Amino acid sequence: MAATEQRPIGFGRLKRKEDPRFLRGEGTYVDDVKLPGMLHGAILRSPLAHARIVSIDTSAAQQHPKVRVVVTGRDLEGLGLAWMPTLSADTQAVLATDKVRFQGQEVAFVVAEDRYAARDALELIEVDYEPLPVVSDVRRALDPDAPVIRDDKEGQTTNRIFDWEAGDEAETERVLADADVVVVTQEIPFQRVHPAPLETCGSVADMDPVTGKLRLWTTSQAPHAHRTLYAMVAGIPEHRIQVIAPDIGGGFGNKVPIYPGYVCSIVGSILTGRPVKWMEDRTENLTSTGFARDYLMRGRIAADRDGRIRGLRVDVLADHGAFNATAQPSKYPAGFFHIFTGSYDLEAAYCSVRGVYTNKAPGGVAYRCSFRVTEAAYLVERMVDLLAAELEMDPVELRMRNLIRSDQFPYTTKTGWEYDSGDYHATMREALRIAGYDELRREQAERRARGEHMGIGVSFFTETVGAGPKAKMDIAGLGMADGAELRVHPTGTAVVRLSVQTQGQGHETTFAQIVAEELGIPPEDVEVVHGDTDQTPFGLGTYGSRSTPVSGAAVAMVSRKVRDKARLIASAALEVAPEDLAWERGRWFVKGDPEQGRTIQELALAAHGTLTLPDGVEGHLDAEAVYDPPNLTYPCGAYIAVVDVDPATGEVRLRRFVAVDDCGVRINPMIVEGQIHGGLAEGAGIALMQHIAFDEQGNCLGGSFMYYGGRWSLEVPDWELGETVTPSPHHPIGAKGVGESSNVGSPPAIVNAIVDALAPFGVRHVDMPATPGRVWEAIRSASGTAAPPR
Amino acid sequence: MQVPAPFEYVRASSVGEAIDLLERLGPEARLVAGGHSLLPMMKLRLATPEHLIDINPLAGELGDVREEGGEVRIGAMTRHRDVLESELLVRRFPIMRDAERRIADPPVRNRGTIGGALCQADPSEDLSAVCAALKASVVIRGRGGDRVLDMVAFHRGPYETAVGDAEMLVEVRVPVRPHGGSAYEKVERRAGDWAIAAAGAALWLDGATVADAGIALSAVNPRGVRCERAEQALVGRPPSEEAFAEAAALAAEDCDPIADQRGSAEYKRHLARELTHRALRRAAERTLAS
């Protein structure tokens, strides 16, 4: 790895500016916010997945000497706040009034003088529930006798939420029915998982009874969107709401929605006139906040015998839980799932997605991916491997024959995406080179001859990240475009203000480097301000890898505006026409006389000084920009996993993992690599262990890290990273977004490797998470007997 | 948020004082050693003791590992880390290191104790199986003096031991016998997780045949940890693959796993057999090497 000590003015490896405060424990997270007179809230949650509330008796809790107020759904009804809108045009109960619809649902809110008393008082609340039949299996949700979960909704007589489709069904069916093609059909579930950020969700609400201003410190990936939604829902004027997302300990999509607890803390502050803090615990986070995936997919893929893939169809049953609280652009109820054709040039493709309610927690957030791209990539990459097995063809060879060629970009898919750029074959070849693919296959053959079970798994993914454009993409009517403001101070240091919110992505460094690249101001001289709606321009926030594709572009554009303004100031200072000036990083100089010039720092001082500025040029050196992306960006990658499986125990060891990412131009390669490392570790956890499972009664079986846990650093290999660089042609700096790619591309590579290892037993598919038990069962059901001990 | 119910806290400065406190405060008092089981249960309010008696001041008095009178004596307050790193234990009973290396993670091993693990008697806990396979005994002290029990008498089932009110475990004693070897095999979903299934085995040879064997399982045996039928099947026979396979089959037959997220009952029973076999094989290798 290159030294980080050379401090680039612009793009390059640079240690993160934010790290000293994190490494010294000096970050300020929501739970670190302590205000004078602050009270503490706690939520009583339903122990049952589906039950009618007969009565709630809060009298004993209210008698507790330290309790200030107890709030129930009935109380909220009086304020018009018992229900709130979700990000998917549905409603969600803030506190249950009629029924509870999932285990862990919010039933009552206690505000007390300390968090111990608040928790103690929860045990004094008596709720009388009348249990109802439970729908915990998505396959049973549309049974004629299934209980209707959302009987609160006018006209809702089943558990169906929506039916959505993309592509050409007739054409796809025609291809699948062609007598000459090989068709493989497979049911492929992507299990319910949870983003599980280490910092759980919470808020501190402070409604000033004198000024009527609400300050809300909250775990939010989208502070501006949240402010607008609070204004719309609670009726508080938007200019009297200040949303502050301080340091955020991971988000991964989990901190995009607005949760009942946030609303309760606001209500608690209004009712008591005091600041109220609410922080959920680990179990509350895992059992009640936005989950991800939970797609039951059935794929059909068709190819000619020579391996030309022709058509792909997938039908999805999507489990959205008890409220449709999926966070995604509003015109896309299945997110961007229709990118399921992946990286291949197909003749026909079609998908249908049916969303249903179940008695499970609501969500369906974009967990480290752009709105269902992970599900889509897993589906197509498993289907291609199944096809390779059926055709008895090497899975790399099959992919190479069908990947979109570089001369086909921009490429329009059969479901309407316009891929901006890529050189997929080059990316794949780079992965094969790093992995030593041919040598791995030779090693595998030798090991198989010795009775050992080594597997090699390949995936190639394309992501679609950086939503909008805003004309096509909005959340709750808010267009997906983001602002940036840049001010250069008289002494030449600068402050850039962003609409997006870092949760660990390194924005304070990356965005300073973009300003540095464009203006030549060293990154340490650029302060990055974000996360406070009173301090920053409007924008939709950080998720779906939006920050660099959208806000990164906004920062580049605002820097260029400042540069253009600096040129006019330089022309006045040097007494030459602006056209006679040329730019080198950090300096305008006279063409043909390079000695004559002014640095950006000198120009900043001039802009604030006594220099007579040209007509039409106002003083100071600053600008604003709003960036509405013309298209999404399309990062891609080729991943190769190597596993060893012990068939007698089902244990899988992830031995090697090669990840070649093409995310266009890399601003800070060190941060990019860190992002890839993190996503790979998460992807490995999802592939091998993580599952938010439920029993028949709707009890959540994944409510703690004892049951739902990721990989430790001890259990992952040294990631072997590589890159190809295909700049995005429409992005100002050619960047594409990368924070999520590795979580999208890694699960199929790992599962493909496991299935490859088990091929001698006749195994064609193993569901995630591929726990030792599942792997053993897959061998047994494929081969009829368990492997003998070695 | 996870916060415990109200409780009173007191520190004991000697074993005698701890026993006095237990007697005085009654059955709603609990000893806390490493606290890595009890405190999470209290935060989840699965445990709501009225009094916690902190016995960490006894770490010196009860934290010793030494060989004496044909036994290795391990003080109840010996931390997992010290068990793991004890040269004496590695030399005498390699099964200890096999197991300890895979118990939780360093922060837990730095605080958790052997006595705490045995008394918690979690059905997936490792050291009960290790001690049972080694045919260890435990010393329980009360006001009336010490009782010495073998593991079968001590370990009564999930979360239940022979330690009575106003008593505490003070020592584990492992007999040192000639020509022995031991090993522990465990399958877990991820590093530091509780076992899906685990097997401990110890063998003592007399010439070319097995003089005695100890086999114990974890996570698959709610009733107890020893597999006596499997042990008996080995005695008097050469330590062969056939004998191990037979013993492993008996151990699997006699266990009683339940299905959960870690795996089906059938899979766990299969693991019991596979891991017993592997542990016996490795124990035998170590026997022959000793």
Side-chain angles (χ1 to χ4, degrees):
Chain A
M1 193 173 279
T4 52
E5 301 312 321
Q6 326 154 352
R7 302 185 61 77
I9 298 177
F11 299 166
R13 291 180 179 275
L14 182 66
K15 281 186 182 170
R16 302 200 320 169
K17 292 168 68 176
E18 46 269 77
D19 280 346
R21 76 173 184 274
F22 293 136
L23 295 174
R24 294 175 190 186
E26 296 294 330
T28 302
Y29 298 90
V30 170
D31 205 18
D32 294 319
V33 174
K34 293 181 177 66
L35 301 179
M38 188 172 75
L39 303 173
H40 296 265
I43 292 175
L44 181 71
R45 294 176 182 277
S46 170
L48 301 174
H50 201 194
R52 193 160 301 286
I53 296 175
V54 178
S55 63
I56 303 177
D57 181 357
T58 62
S59 54
Q62 282 172 328
Q63 304 285 308
H64 190 289
K66 288 185 171 180
V67 168
R68 292 302 182 92
V69 67
V70 181
V71 184
T72 65
R74 290 267 167 262
D75 302 322
L76 291 184
E77 272 180 337
L79 301 167
L81 287 174
W83 292 80
M84 63 178 183
T86 70
L87 296 177
S88 286
D90 195 0
T91 50
Q92 174 174 357
V94 176
L95 294 175
T97 50
D98 53 341
K99 292 200 303 189
V100 289
R101 294 174 169 84
F102 68 94
Q103 185 188 56
Q105 186 178 337
E106 299 79 2
V107 174
F109 186 69
V110 170
V111 179
E113 285 170 26
D114 61 59
R115 55 177 62 184
Y116 292 86
R119 176 68 182 79
D120 289 346
L122 295 184
E123 298 185 6
L124 302 174
I125 299 173
E126 298 279 345
V127 185
D128 185 7
Y129 294 103
E130 176 193 323
L132 296 169
V134 170
V135 181
S136 66
D137 179 354
V138 68
R139 296 167 204 263
R140 308 252 65 98
L142 295 176
D143 283 358
D145 60 344
V148 177
I149 296 165
R150 294 303 302 279
D151 49 356
D152 58 292
K153 294 179 77 174
E154 188 89 19
Q156 182 82 37
T157 56
T158 70
N159 292 319
R160 197 184 74 87
I161 307 173
F162 65 83
D163 278 296
W164 187 81
E165 61 179 358
D168 187 332
E169 183 175 21
E171 181 66 8
T172 307
E173 283 302 309
R174 189 188 62 73
V175 169
L176 287 164
D178 186 328
D180 293 331
V181 298
V182 175
V183 175
V184 179
T185 302
Q186 178 70 44
E187 183 170 282
I188 298 184
F190 201 131
Q191 79 273 21
R192 177 176 285 227
V193 297
H194 196 282
L198 276 187
E199 180 203 29
T200 58
C201 297
S203 53
V204 177
D206 183 17
M207 170 60 94
D208 187 319
V210 177
T211 64
K213 178 153 182 169
L214 169 67
R215 290 185 301 166
L216 184 72
W217 286 261
T218 186
T219 48
S220 173
Q221 295 178 229
H224 287 279
H226 280 193
R227 183 190 62 192
T228 304
L229 291 169
Y230 287 124
M232 289 173 171
V233 173
I236 304 169
E238 193 165 3
H239 67 295
R240 294 222 175 93
I241 303 175
Q242 180 182 10
V243 174
I244 304 162
D247 288 327
I248 301 295
F252 312 108
N254 185 240
K255 291 169 180 169
V256 174
I258 289 178
Y259 293 120
Y262 303 160
V263 178
C264 286
S265 70
I266 295 170
V267 171
S269 181
I270 291 171
L271 293 177
T272 60
R274 300 262 292 268
V276 173
K277 177 187 281 185
W278 166 74
M279 279 307 295
E280 65 187 7
D281 63 31
R282 179 62 53 200
T283 298
E284 292 179 290
N285 181 253
L286 287 170
T287 58
S288 73
T289 66
F291 72 92
R293 326 295 185 229
D294 218 348
Y295 261 32
L296 181 59
M297 305 178 281
R298 182 172 178 274
R300 300 192 77 201
I301 193 165
D304 294 338
R305 297 219 160 263
D306 66 357
R308 190 171 69 87
I309 305 174
R310 297 190 44 205
L312 178 60
R313 174 182 181 132
V314 53
D315 296 282
V316 181
L317 195 53
D319 186 339
H320 283 239
F323 307 100
N324 186 17
T326 303
Q328 69 213 342
S330 59
K331 296 184 187 77
Y332 300 83
F336 298 163
F337 183 76
H338 53 306
I339 197 168
F340 70 94
T341 57
S343 314
Y344 308 104
D345 184 19
L346 303 183
E347 192 178 319
Y350 172 77
C351 72
S352 76
V353 182
R354 170 166 289 184
V356 298
Y357 292 119
T358 60
N359 289 118
K360 292 154 74 173
V365 298
Y367 169 18
R368 206 166 187 152
C369 75
S370 199
F371 317 113
R372 309 289 187 185
V373 174
T374 311
E375 292 90 321
Y378 180 62
L379 182 280
V380 64
E381 289 306 297
R382 279 297 301 128
M383 291 309 295
V384 169
D385 253 44
L386 284 153
L387 185 62
E390 185 67 27
L391 295 169
E392 296 181 347
M393 187 179 284
D394 183 283
V396 168
E397 177 58 27
L398 181 59
R399 284 177 173 81
M400 286 302 233
R401 281 190 201 185
N402 291 282
L403 288 172
I404 298 163
R405 296 188 317 274
S406 59
D407 61 10
Q408 290 176 286
F409 291 97
Y411 176 88
T412 303
T413 72
K414 290 290 179 282
T415 51
W417 297 100
E418 189 187 303
Y419 291 4
D420 62 351
S421 60
D423 186 347
Y424 292 175
H425 290 86
T427 306
M428 179 66 103
R429 279 194 299 272
E430 178 64 0
L432 298 175
R433 184 190 68 76
I434 294 171
Y437 185 73
D438 295 338
E439 181 51 41
L440 284 173
R441 286 291 177 203
R442 271 194 292 279
E443 180 192 344
Q444 182 184 41
E446 286 168 21
R447 285 184 186 272
R448 277 191 180 159
R450 293 204 298 268
E452 295 172 21
H453 299 274
M454 165 186 172
I456 305 159
V458 178
S459 76
F460 197 102
F461 65 91
T462 299
E463 263 227 285
T464 174
V465 308
K470 71 174 186 172
K472 291 184 187 168
M473 293 172 188
D474 66 275
I475 286 183
L478 301 169
M480 300 184 81
D482 284 62
E485 295 173 6
L486 177 61
R487 257 184 237 167
V488 185
H489 301 312
T491 55
T493 63
V495 56
V496 62
R497 299 169 189 278
L498 310 175
S499 59
V500 290
Q501 169 58 28
T502 185
Q503 310 115 45
Q505 292 91 338
H507 287 181
E508 290 167 40
T509 308
T510 300
F511 287 93
Q513 287 184 269
I514 296 173
V515 173
E517 178 79 14
E518 297 290 338
L519 287 181
I521 298 173
E524 57 268 32
D525 286 352
V526 181
E527 176 77 1
V528 176
V529 175
H530 56 96
D532 179 340
T533 56
D534 274 10
Q535 302 277 340
T536 57
F538 187 84
L540 267 275
T542 296
Y543 43 86
S545 288
R546 295 186 74 249
S547 291
T548 295
V550 186
S551 269
V555 169
M557 299 310 275
V558 81
S559 300
R560 290 172 192 181
K561 282 188 178 180
V562 165
R563 195 165 73 200
D564 291 344
K565 185 170 179 179
R567 182 182 204 170
L568 300 177
I569 295 162
S571 81
L574 295 165
E575 297 178 340
V576 296
E579 304 77 55
D580 293 332
L581 292 170
W583 173 258
E584 61 182 353
R585 188 174 292 173
R587 185 169 176 270
W588 284 108
F589 65 92
V590 179
K591 288 177 189 168
D593 187 6
E595 296 296 301
Q596 291 296 310
R598 290 285 187 278
T599 65
I600 193 80
Q601 288 83 2
E602 289 166 341
L603 293 167
L605 192 56
H608 292 84
T610 57
L611 178 71
T612 303
L613 299 176
D615 284 348
V617 179
E618 296 174 16
H620 304 173
L621 189 54
D622 49 27
E624 303 177 4
V626 176
Y627 189 76
D628 178 16
N631 187 7
L632 294 106
T633 64
Y634 293 83
C636 67
Y639 288 1
I640 299 176
V642 181
V643 301
D644 297 298
V645 178
D646 180 341
T649 61
E651 290 170 292
V652 174
R653 186 170 74 94
L654 183 57
R655 192 209 308 174
R656 285 184 66 194
F657 199 100
V658 174
V660 175
D661 277 273
D662 189 335
C663 57
V665 172
R666 296 185 175 202
I667 297 162
N668 184 329
M670 194 171 73
I671 288 180
V672 169
E673 288 161 11
Q675 291 271 37
I676 294 169
H677 285 183
L680 292 175
E682 283 182 297
I686 289 166
L688 296 171
M689 176 166 175
Q690 290 171 222
H691 187 192
I692 300 288
F694 292 81
D695 68 13
E696 284 178 5
Q697 287 76 46
N699 295 306
C700 181
L701 305 176
S704 83
F705 278 166
M706 197 163 113
Y707 299 104
Y708 183 81
R711 299 278 103 183
W712 306 115
S713 56
L714 296 170
E715 295 168 290
V716 295
D718 284 335
W719 310 111
E720 300 170 64
L721 306 190
E723 66 174 318
T724 57
V725 179
T726 318
S728 170
H730 62 75
H731 188 273
I733 55 178
K736 291 184 174 176
V738 71
E740 305 173 320
S741 293
S742 49
N743 197 15
V744 172
S746 53
I750 293 168
V751 174
N752 285 347
I754 294 168
V755 173
D756 184 55
L758 303 183
F761 295 100
V763 172
R764 285 285 177 93
H765 181 73
V766 178
D767 279 338
M768 296 191 294
T771 57
R774 282 232 175 120
V775 170
W776 181 78
E777 308 271 1
I779 296 169
R780 202 178 49 148
S781 57
S783 62
T785 60
R790 285 186 292 123
Chain B
M1 67 233 131
Q2 287 170 355
V3 291
F7 62 91
E8 298 294 327
Y9 172 88
V10 57
R11 282 164 79 86
S13 57
S14 69
V15 174
E17 189 186 357
I19 291 167
D20 283 348
L21 284 164
L22 281 169
E23 199 163 70
R24 184 154 58 79
L25 299 173
E28 295 307 314
R30 290 286 301 273
L31 299 179
V32 60
H36 278 280
S37 295
L38 182 56
L39 298 186
M41 288 171 72
M42 289 171 63
K43 285 170 76 176
L44 293 166
R45 302 203 178 196
L46 297 172
T48 53
E50 290 172 9
H51 302 271
L52 276 194
I53 303 168
D54 186 348
I55 54 171
N56 281 284
L58 314 187
E61 189 179 347
L62 299 179
D64 209 23
V65 180
R66 63 188 192 284
E67 187 162 343
E68 192 177 304
E71 291 175 324
V72 173
R73 299 186 170 191
I74 309 168
M77 284 297 293
T78 306
R79 312 279 179 193
H80 287 298
R81 179 184 174 163
D82 297 320
V83 175
L84 175 66
E85 293 178 354
S86 161
E87 288 303 321
L88 173 62
L89 287 174
V90 172
R91 198 169 67 244
R92 289 296 190 202
F93 313 113
I95 185 175
M96 287 274 188
R97 179 178 280 186
D98 290 349
E100 285 286 1
R101 285 179 64 207
R102 298 181 68 179
I103 291 175
D105 47 40
V108 171
R109 293 199 292 261
N110 284 343
R111 293 293 297 168
T113 64
I114 186 171
L118 295 181
C119 289
Q120 180 68 18
D122 188 292
S124 302
E125 183 275 318
D126 299 290
L127 293 183
S128 297
V130 167
C131 290
L134 291 172
K135 306 202 170 176
S137 53
V138 296
V139 181
I140 298 169
R141 187 166 299 164
R143 188 180 291 290
D146 287 357
R147 300 192 285 146
V148 181
L149 272 59
D150 66 19
M151 284 301 293
V152 175
F154 169 76
H155 186 96
R156 292 187 172 166
Y159 310 105
E160 203 185 333
T161 69
V163 179
D165 292 343
E167 282 190 323
M168 66 181 282
L169 177 69
V170 292
E171 192 171 84
V172 179
R173 294 178 180 172
V174 192
V176 177
R177 297 149 68 187
H179 311 300
S182 60
Y184 195 70
E185 295 280 350
K186 175 175 172 178
V187 173
E188 58 199 351
R189 293 177 302 175
R190 60 167 173 162
D193 194 16
W194 297 101
I196 302 171
L203 290 172
W204 295 272
L205 300 188
D206 181 3
T209 60
V210 174
D212 194 8
I215 298 174
L217 300 172
S218 180
V220 291
N221 243 359
R223 290 187 311 249
V225 293
R226 278 270 298 282
C227 306
E228 295 180 40
R229 224 158 52 103
E231 293 170 358
Q232 284 311 312
L234 293 168
V235 174
R237 297 173 65 180
S240 65
E241 278 292 304
E242 295 69 38
F244 297 158
E246 200 179 303
L250 288 170
E253 223 171 86
D254 289 352
C255 77
D256 187 14
I258 50 164
D260 60 14
Q261 276 201 290
R262 293 192 169 83
S264 65
E266 211 171 357
Y267 169 59
K268 292 182 183 182
R269 193 182 294 280
H270 161 79
L271 279 184
R273 177 179 180 153
E274 177 70 23
L275 298 183
T276 301
H277 193 134
R278 290 183 185 189
L280 284 168
R281 189 185 293 145
R282 201 138 62 93
E285 285 164 13
R286 287 170 172 171
T287 311
L288 301 171
S290 70

